[in-house]
Amino acid sequence: MEAEESLATNVFPFRDARAAPDPVLEAGPVAHGSLPVPLVLDNGSFQARAGWACPGPDPGPEPRLQFRAVCARGRGGARGGAGPQVGNALGSLEPLRWMLRSPFDRNVPVNLELQELLLDYSFQHLGVSSQGCVDHPIVLTEAVCTPLYSRQMMSELLFECYGIPKVAYGIDSLFSFYHNNPKNMISSGLIISSGYQCTHILPILQGRLDARNCKRINLGGSQAAGYLQRLLQLKYPGHLAAITLSRMEEILHEHSYIAEDYVEELQKWRCPDYYEDNVHKMQLPFSSKLLGSTLTSEEKQERRQQQLRRLQELNARRREEKLQLDQERLDRLLYVQELLEDGQMDQFHKALIELNMDSPEELQSYIQKLSAAVEQAKQKILQAEVSLEVDVVDSKPETPDLEQLEPSLEDVENINDFEPLFSEETPEVEKPVATVQPVFNLAAYHQLFVGTERIRAPEIIFQPSLIGEEQAGIAETLQYILDRYPKDVQELLVQNVFLTGGNMMYPGMKVRIEKELLEMRPFQSSFQVQLASNPVLDAWYGARDWALDHLDNEDVWITRKDYEEKGGGYLREHCASNVYVPIRLPKQASRSAETQASGKGLGASGGGASEQA
């Protein structure tokens, strides 16, 4: 209903939501029986989520901690100190956009130092002391087919820095799939997961990931927000600074949708009536106060008095400076006159030459003029001080007596500098001035008309060529994956097409996927498309459910002993994990064999040389 009321005018203000700092929560549950309670961390490239996996009939609400996975190192004195700021402690991201750093390259964590800051923030705000060690098992999400280097870096951080007892890695979209399927049911299907940086299509066979045939598209919400920003900045070059990435993300989350048929939808937008009914006018913040347009006569009078007061103070300061210079010059001339009276003629004539004067009469004339000027300046300074005192005591909104401010010849330049502020004649009675109306509607000028951009930005995951990317879209990639399987396996996979991830929450996404499948599947064949109950948080919920179901199953956890014996890249596989592919280095020949081979080579070359000799 609220959306329908807003569409009546189609004007939507930007919320410009500012993140509130996360409170430091009390220490969570330590143990359940003899087993410690696991910590569940959904380590996403856009947002990190952390919470407890509490056993029992009510495992608890949504994750206790949700924050943007970015860091910024503040300067000394800025924002309370020079320490790094993390997540929601940053408040608004736009003023710090140029300072933001992320531990992720695409969706893979690669920066160990920044990842440690995110983990410190999570443990601190969950009430877990990370100074000695973190005595809780940890369930951590990772990217599809994550590089061994990244997992090795993460295991090293968790075991060496935090001293955790054990860890389990899993794919976020598989955890979401696990949460939305009935318990103890081994199922097959196709997962389409689209997040902030990437889109993945993952085939699941008998409850396990088929890693050989999963594909990634390097497009997600980040690229859609950047594309929308470029579109609107080209459309409204007068508002470049106001069209920020945070506002573009707000438009994507709340005003964009997926067209069932992109070309047909663009044809609809060509109709003026359809455009008028469906365009969203995003209202930028602006100030409606124009200079002189909304001021009352009392405010104008007060402003005039303030300007007169400032001018009076400026003139008084300049008179004092001029008086000081004239006084120094007068003292110099009087000193030269004293030389004449004392009979020191040589020094007197030398001083006259320095002053560029010819006779004592000329010196006397200059002394009289300077004395008069100094005396006159002192009188003006006294008058100015008296007028300032009167202004401070009597602040009635009457027109001040301007006779006190009559300029002398030396002050004409100063008043000319302020001609835009004062008219030459001040009327005795102020005439009523009509309010100046702006020649255009300021509110309308500060509106962004978001029309076809509502469908063009999210369309890039279906048509990457819109932003110049030489990649296949979701439909082509889906068809490519299905073609790699026999007909019976294809039929099995399309019966459970599962959509998850924050970039799958656009209205119309499920209908579009169904349309694409209808076009590529054989005539009258069946398929089923399911959207996750909560595409954003189901990965965390699934990881929590998995942790509770496998709390006492040591076959799926990587212990410290495994880490020390098999290395940081080691992975124990389970229903929501990657496939473990250890590094197989080529066997190197032993040094003795190398020395024997080199000796044989030298002997052969020596024999050839002797034969030649």
Side-chain angles (χ1 to χ4, degrees), residues 403-440:
E403 291 180 359
Q404 297 176 1
L405 301 176
E406 284 188 3
S408 59
L409 291 177
E410 67 266 19
D411 294 327
V412 172
E413 277 190 15
N414 305 337
I415 294 182
N416 288 340
D417 295 340
F418 290 84
E419 279 182 357
L421 299 178
F422 304 98
S423 58
E424 294 181 2
E425 299 178 0
T426 304
E428 295 180 1
V429 180
E430 186 177 357
K431 298 179 181 179
V433 181
T435 303
V436 179
Q437 295 293 338
V439 296
F440 58 91

Side-chain angles (χ1 to χ4, degrees), residues 126-166:
L126 285 175
V128 180
S129 174
S130 60
Q131 295 300 322
C133 65
V134 177
D135 291 326
H136 294 273
I138 290 181
V139 181
L140 188 68
T141 61
E142 64 178 5
V144 181
C145 300
T146 189
L148 289 182
Y149 164 77
S150 177
R151 187 183 302 124
Q152 180 180 355
M153 176 194 75
M154 193 67 70
S155 295
E156 181 182 344
L157 181 63
L158 292 174
F159 285 109
E160 301 292 347
C161 181
Y162 296 105
I164 65 169
K166 56 185 179 180

Side-chain angles (χ1 to χ4, degrees), residues 327-344:
Q327 187 66 50
E328 292 175 357
R329 185 171 177 79
L330 179 60
D331 293 341
R332 172 66 176 163
L333 294 179
L334 290 175
Y335 171 73
V336 175
Q337 188 179 25
E338 288 178 1
L339 292 178
L340 176 63
E341 293 173 354
D342 294 342
Q344 302 178 13

Side-chain angles (χ1 to χ4, degrees), residues 189-193 199-205 209-217 472-487 489-491 493-494 517 520-521:
L190 268 174
I191 300 176
I192 303 178
S193 170
T199 299
H200 292 94
I201 301 180
L202 313 176
I204 306 298
L205 293 174
L209 173 69
D210 184 8
R212 292 180 179 274
N213 292 316
C214 61
K215 298 296 176 185
R216 182 179 77 173
I217 304 169
I474 286 181
E476 294 90 342
T477 308
L478 196 59
Q479 179 69 65
Y480 177 79
I481 291 175
L482 289 174
D483 288 343
R484 297 173 68 90
Y485 293 99
K487 298 293 183 182
V489 178
Q490 290 184 26
E491 188 67 27
L493 291 175
V494 297
L517 280 170
M520 71 178 67
R521 297 302 297 154

Side-chain angles (χ1 to χ4, degrees), residues 196 219-231 245 248 252 456-461 467 503 506:
Y196 189 60
L219 293 173
S222 174
Q223 289 74 25
Y227 180 47
L228 180 59
Q229 184 184 36
R230 292 197 300 272
L231 288 176
L245 277 176
M248 297 306 100
L252 284 175
R456 290 175 68 185
E459 182 68 19
I460 64 171
I461 60 174
I467 58 174
N503 208 38
Y506 295 113

